[in-house]
Amino acid sequence: MSERPTIRDVALAAGVGTATVDRVLNGRGKVREETMRKVAEAAHRVGYHASTLIDQRLDSALPEMTFGFVLHKGKQEFYQNFANEIQRAVTVRHDIRGRAVVRFSASQSPQDFLTEIAEISGKVDAIASSAVNHQSITQEVQRLKETGVPTFALLNDFAQGIRENYLGLNNMQVGRSAAWMATTAAKQQGKLAVFVGGNRWHGHELRETGFRSFVRDSAPGFHVLDTLVNLETRQVTYEATLELIDRHRDLRGIYVAGGGMEGAIAALREAAEPNTVSLVVNELTADSRAALMDGYVTMVISTPLRQLCADMVEMMISAVKNGSSDVPGQHFLQPQIYLPEAFG
């Protein structure tokens, strides 16, 4: 029967002295996190009987951080996926003892976002939100900054110049990509429609601007109708899409720049043949995936949520450890593009 591994065996495997292993085991003096991690890994590798205790010492030495997130549309699949990826991104970090607090705004109103932000602001080290653009939100972000709580804008870039960073897609580029697909997929020239959630979504405005810019520059044979506001709701989008189809027989394409795509999909299923009106939407969900396969959605432009959340947590940790950046930044991620053939 072989002898049980000793502190000396752990020290040899970790490349440190036995005194260092003893300090880790008994919590005597300060040991660098990197060294503690080497000792913990070596203890597991050699089968040291107190490896669990070393893990506990390592965990207790890690800084505690709590991150707050305020999203909206909590019942929608995309935002449920977003919340799950946030939790995952915090959980997989081994350099902190992290906790994610995720709240959902009851509506798109600035006050509802502020209510949720106020609820968690005194309990977290940093905040990230998909809030709307509004003066009251900007003032709150300024207050948080002054109290040492950095704020990050997600998907929609609010409180520019004050918030710590924006993480999401390049929305102008997204709009141009949507217009390219809508015009390329159309069998004839004609009219195009754009839905935005409302005038408080800076990201939607940029997408609309990019869409119109591409059509004006590269597809002048198409005419973009007046922008429609759908409040990111299924029913409003559904009714407006049916009206578009009825009023404009030469409707060739629709771009839903924010939420509510389920309504456009339902209306096209009801009133149009597959592949007759090119529909471009954002975010891959069960509805948009099925519509791609059935010929009612032409392209899905999707946010890489796992990468966004991993990058976001990294930036939040850095801001908490090192303080806010002197220059607020923008962190663009490459969108994921889905076409019907991806699921053929």
Side-chain angles (χ1 to χ4, degrees):
M1 184 173 178
S2 61
E3 293 184 3
R4 201 163 62 164
T6 65
I7 286 180
R8 180 177 176 79
D9 296 318
V10 175
L12 286 172
V16 299
T18 55
T20 299
V21 177
D22 180 71
R23 287 202 301 274
V24 172
L25 273 170
N26 296 290
R28 299 193 185 106
K30 290 184 178 181
V31 181
R32 290 191 309 163
E33 179 188 326
E34 180 183 353
T35 302
M36 290 182 69
R37 196 170 298 282
K38 286 171 61 177
V39 171
E41 291 171 355
H44 283 285
R45 197 160 59 246
V46 302
Y48 185 59
H49 67 280
S51 58
T52 301
L53 176 59
I54 296 176
D55 289 340
Q56 292 173 353
R57 297 291 188 200
L58 178 60
D59 288 342
S60 65
L62 296 176
E64 291 186 55
M65 294 186 189
T66 302
F67 306 120
F69 302 87
V70 178
L71 309 177
H72 62 294
K73 296 288 183 181
K75 294 182 179 179
Q76 287 190 357
E77 181 183 345
F78 171 73
Y79 284 100
Q80 292 173 0
N81 293 339
F82 202 165
N84 290 335
E85 289 297 340
I86 286 171
Q87 295 288 357
R88 180 186 182 280
V90 174
T91 300
V92 299
R93 295 296 298 232
H94 299 300
D95 53 340
I96 62 168
R97 284 182 288 163
R99 187 169 74 97
V101 178
V102 182
R103 304 291 291 259
F104 291 97
S105 173
S107 75
Q108 296 183 26
S109 77
Q111 187 54 51
D112 282 335
F113 275 104
L114 286 171
T115 297
E116 299 302 332
I117 291 172
E119 177 66 24
I120 63 173
S121 62
K123 309 170 186 176
V124 300
D125 299 295
I127 288 179
S129 178
S130 61
V132 295
N133 297 84
H134 193 267
Q135 183 180 3
S136 61
I137 299 286
T138 302
Q139 291 173 346
E140 177 63 10
V141 173
Q142 179 64 50
R143 186 192 71 79
L144 289 169
K145 184 175 182 177
E146 291 170 355
T147 59
V149 179
T151 302
F152 295 78
L154 303 175
L155 308 182
N156 179 63
D157 196 358
F158 61 87
Q160 293 182 30
I162 301 173
R163 52 94 180 119
E164 180 70 14
N165 212 316
Y166 161 77
L167 294 94
L169 303 180
N170 182 330
N171 288 305
M172 182 78 77
Q173 184 185 72
V174 167
R176 291 185 64 86
S177 298
W180 177 86
M181 178 51 75
T183 55
T184 300
K187 295 179 173 62
Q188 302 175 60
Q189 295 181 341
K191 295 173 182 174
L192 305 170
V194 179
F195 285 95
V196 299
N199 58 14
R200 288 176 176 160
W201 296 110
H202 182 250
H204 296 186
E205 290 183 348
L206 287 177
R207 291 177 181 181
E208 178 202 356
T209 299
F211 190 96
R212 291 182 178 278
S213 173
F214 179 88
V215 174
R216 184 174 57 249
D217 297 341
S218 304
F222 290 85
H223 171 67
V224 183
L225 299 168
D226 290 343
T227 301
L228 298 162
V229 175
N230 67 354
L231 303 178
E232 294 201 295
T233 62
R234 176 192 180 108
Q235 188 62 30
V236 172
T237 313
Y238 168 75
E239 294 173 359
T241 301
L242 286 179
E243 185 176 353
L244 283 170
I245 294 170
D246 183 60
R247 289 181 56 191
H248 303 284
R249 297 299 176 180
D250 59 345
L251 181 69
R252 304 296 180 225
I254 299 172
Y255 174 44
V256 183
M261 64 175 172
E262 300 86 356
I265 292 170
L268 288 179
R269 288 187 182 278
E270 181 178 318
E273 293 296 319
N275 302 308
T276 56
V277 177
S278 58
L279 174 61
V280 179
V281 300
N282 295 290
E283 310 311 344
L284 188 68
T285 65
D287 281 334
S288 59
R289 181 193 298 264
L292 269 173
M293 296 173 66
D294 295 341
Y296 288 101
V297 165
T298 310
M299 180 171 74
V300 175
I301 305 172
S302 190
T303 305
L305 284 178
R306 181 156 297 185
Q307 184 64 53
L308 184 151
C309 292
D311 293 352
M312 175 178 59
V313 171
E314 175 67 29
M315 291 183 183
M316 295 175 98
I317 292 172
S318 177
V320 173
K321 285 184 174 180
N322 306 316
S324 295
S325 171
D326 293 333
V327 181
Q330 290 182 309
H331 183 71
F332 294 139
L333 293 103
Q334 190 66 26
Q336 296 170 327
I337 303 297
Y338 295 93
L339 301 171
E341 290 303 311
F343 306 103

